[in-house]
Amino acid sequence: MAMTEELIENKYIEMGISKEVYEFGKEIEQGLKERFDRIDQTTEYNQMKVIDAMQKCRVSAECFQATSGYGYNDIGRDTLEEVYAECFHGEAALVRPQITCGTHALALALMSNLRPGDELLSPVGKPYDTLEEVIGIRPSKGSLAEYGITYRQVDLLNNRDFDFEGIRAAINERTKLVTIQRSKGYETRPTLSIARIKELISFVKSIKPDVICMVDNCYGEFVEEQEPLEVGADMIVGSLIKNLGGGLAPIGGYIVGKKECVDNAAYRLTSPGLGKEVGASLGVIQSFYQGLFQAPTVVSGALKGAIFAANIFEKIGFPVIPNSTESRHDIIQAVTFGCPEGVIAFCQGIQAAAPVDSYVTPEPWDMPGYDSQVIMAAGAFVQGSSIELSADGPIKPPYAVYFQGGLTWYHAKLGILMALQKLMDAGIVTKDFTAANVKDL
Ligand SMILES: *Cc1c(COP(=O)(O)O)cnc(C)c1O
């Protein structure tokens, strides 16, 4: 064995991974070379896209200075918004620390572009949980419903295709905005590829050309070479503590797209008359630039981790979504263990491999808004950041865990091997790498 290889193996063993688990992982990894090469190519392309946008917008050291107060003439903030617009093919962008999270960015985009009497349509089924309250599907203070904005939803067909006839029937003279969620989030439907988003938007626009097509881009950024604005979307929206913050942005959200849509959002975020002119960037702007710069490689690490895990756990006999071979359009991986102990052991492994808070042991607990106990693993530099390696699972059948992130492939790999080790220590995976409770799956 070459010396470095021996050092690596010994280090894993020293950190609590058994020789058997290490070697099992190594074999799986060797079978993934071609897929990893393809991810590296996408990363290379996206990395150049980011650098090219930064060069075209003449990013300079001056851009990194903190501003305070009103933030008039903040060239760092204004240039960053040009970089986002350039990189993602929008006319304009709003990228701000004052946008507190992904839900806030989505709520802002919706509330600023819809008026009383308008209707919102989701042609891809139920949106992300937190949007139910934004829209008013679940009654909530300040929802779109309270302002007289109605909502219609067309579910996917049983075969997961778009229900084109249903969508045609749902579009009416009040339909103003169509929201398309790229990632499956925590639903079981497949994540939408850019090609499918293109097909859907073309169909919607063929019925009503002036409808605004918004894509909830969370978890999908830089997974493919193209982004939704390149295939007809009018607006993309997301969080900076997911893909595009590259793990460095400590807060923030973005909206990129048609100038009118972005302006509407800016006048809602700050105030009519003020719009994008105010909003100091405080001290975080450099991390926004650097995070975007790192984002393609960070997303690549997270994707490799997700694929590695799918292959490991599928081989052992646990159902995984997406499966070991299918193409990826976001960074989320689900694994079903069929028993609460499996979910718990997995999350404890992810936690034990974290750079931060590795010594705490996560336990299931009652969380507001959930109808069962939930366990979460996160040892993150940024609180709640889900581009960092993190996992969670509700303690109810089918006992599935959802995990995502990993700022580097090596950390994702360690986390997954540690999770496998804990599953083996708990007797849920046998010594010959099969699922002990296979009858429950
Ligand atoms: C995470 C996420 C959101 C909400 O973002 P938060 O930052 O958690 O508020 C919305 N939609 C999708 C698809 C997401 O993944």
Side-chain angles (χ1 to χ4, degrees), residues 101-104 106 128 130-131 181-186 216 218-219 239 241-242 332 386:
C101 61
T103 304
H104 185 192
L106 288 156
Y128 198 76
T130 54
L131 286 186
Q181 187 179 307
R182 181 173 177 181
S183 165
K184 67 183 170 305
Y186 304 107
D216 174 351
C218 284
Y219 285 136
S239 161
I241 64 167
K242 292 181 179 172
I332 301 175
S386 49

Side-chain angles (χ1 to χ4, degrees), residues 99-330:
I99 301 177
T100 55
C101 61
T103 304
H104 185 192
L106 288 156
L108 180 63
L110 292 171
M111 294 179 167
S112 60
N113 282 287
L114 290 161
R115 295 288 178 273
D118 288 343
E119 188 159 275
L120 169 68
L121 170 68
S122 171
V124 295
K126 191 179 93 61
Y128 198 76
D129 256 24
T130 54
L131 286 186
E132 289 184 24
E133 284 177 281
V134 171
I135 296 168
I137 300 171
R138 275 186 281 144
S140 169
K141 281 212 189 307
S143 69
L144 292 173
E146 277 199 346
Y147 287 87
I149 295 158
T150 56
Y151 171 70
R152 230 176 247 256
Q153 175 177 315
V154 178
D155 291 335
L156 297 178
L157 298 171
N158 285 338
N159 65 3
R160 309 292 167 80
D161 277 350
F162 300 124
D163 178 1
F164 288 116
E165 282 325 299
I167 295 168
R168 185 193 300 281
I171 294 176
N172 58 58
E173 66 294 343
R174 294 200 299 113
T175 311
K176 172 77 178 296
L177 197 153
V178 171
T179 179
I180 300 167
Q181 187 179 307
R182 181 173 177 181
S183 165
K184 67 183 170 305
Y186 304 107
E187 296 291 306
T188 51
R189 73 159 167 94
T191 287
L192 301 180
S193 64
I194 288 291
R196 291 194 75 203
I197 291 174
K198 179 179 184 173
E199 184 190 5
L200 180 57
I201 293 175
S202 315
F203 180 76
V204 167
K205 297 251 175 184
S206 75
I207 297 166
K208 193 165 187 182
D210 60 347
V211 79
I212 300 168
C213 289
M214 177 185 101
V215 175
D216 174 351
N217 217 20
C218 284
Y219 285 136
E221 303 98 335
F222 289 147
V223 172
E224 297 187 50
E225 292 81 5
Q226 275 190 309
E227 297 290 333
L229 295 176
E230 295 167 71
V231 296
D234 299 296
M235 197 168 31
I236 54 172
V237 183
S239 161
L240 296 192
I241 64 167
K242 292 181 179 172
N243 301 18
L244 291 190
L248 294 176
I251 192 171
Y254 74 88
I255 299 173
V256 189
K258 290 265 160 65
K259 183 169 185 305
E260 194 185 337
C261 296
V262 172
D263 280 348
N264 281 339
Y267 288 120
R268 174 82 193 213
L269 175 66
T270 63
S271 159
L274 302 182
K276 293 173 85 174
E277 305 293 318
V278 295
S281 57
L282 306 170
V284 300
I285 201 76
Q286 184 177 345
S287 72
F288 284 17
Y289 280 99
Q290 233 170 323
L292 178 66
F293 177 77
Q294 301 278 17
T297 39
V298 168
V299 169
S300 133
L303 266 177
K304 288 177 182 174
I307 293 170
F308 181 61
N311 279 269
I312 286 207
F313 293 108
E314 188 180 85
K315 178 118 198 246
I316 292 169
F318 298 111
V320 295
I321 303 177
N323 72 27
S324 62
T325 54
E326 73 190 88
S327 67
R328 299 277 160 161
H329 309 288
D330 69 12

